[in-house]
Amino acid sequence: QEHLVESGGGSVQVGGSLRLSCGRTWSMYCLGWFRQAPGKEREWVALFETDLSRNYTASVKGRFTISQDSAKNILYLEMNNLKPEDTAQYYCAADVNGGSAYGCDFNVWGQGTQVIVSS
């Protein structure tokens, strides 16, 4: 059964950077990062779509970059200029089938890694 493991979380000050990693992936398509802050619903952060296009939620555009190393089967999230509102548990997720004509179904999830941004 497929599973994902995240790493790279930690505590940083405002304006700092972190790089999250997630492995091992099995497809280049339909990979994503999500986050959940205390008391809030889980939200998507950055995605690789079925056509390998990258999408970012508005609040992280220009600061976060999703990438992958297909040779190592690792998904990354580079996070720069971090803000207190980025504090959350971050999860990577994937579509076990790598997507379909209907899009991505994120049905495999990691356990998450904590990111804390303090001022």
Side-chain angles (χ1 to χ4, degrees):
Q1 186 169 351
E2 309 293 356
H3 68 282
L4 299 167
V5 178
E6 304 95 337
S7 62
S11 295
V12 295
Q13 292 189 326
V14 170
S17 299
L18 284 172
R19 188 176 77 161
L20 306 183
S21 301
C22 171
R24 289 175 60 93
T25 58
W26 51 90
S27 171
M28 296 174 62
Y29 307 94
C30 292
L31 301 174
W33 288 97
F34 296 74
R35 67 186 179 187
Q36 187 167 18
K40 295 188 177 181
E41 293 188 355
R42 187 176 295 183
E43 64 172 348
W44 73 276
V45 176
L47 307 171
F48 273 108
E49 303 280 9
T50 55
D51 60 356
L52 288 182
S53 61
R54 310 179 201 201
N55 282 319
Y56 299 91
T57 195
S59 62
V60 307
K61 278 183 180 179
R63 300 189 298 121
F64 291 12
T65 302
I66 188 172
S67 63
Q68 60 181 303
D69 185 332
S70 56
K72 296 181 180 179
N73 298 113
I74 302 292
L75 178 70
Y76 299 103
L77 184 68
E78 184 77 33
M79 305 185 295
N80 297 313
N81 191 21
L82 283 160
K83 304 176 180 181
E85 51 265 40
D86 296 318
T87 295
Q89 187 82 353
Y90 282 72
Y91 301 88
C92 70
D95 183 323
V96 68
N97 296 310
S100 72
Y102 302 101
C104 299
D105 179 13
F106 291 96
N107 45 33
V108 181
W109 294 80
Q111 293 298 307
T113 186
Q114 184 74 32
V115 172
I116 299 173
V117 185
S118 57
S119 56

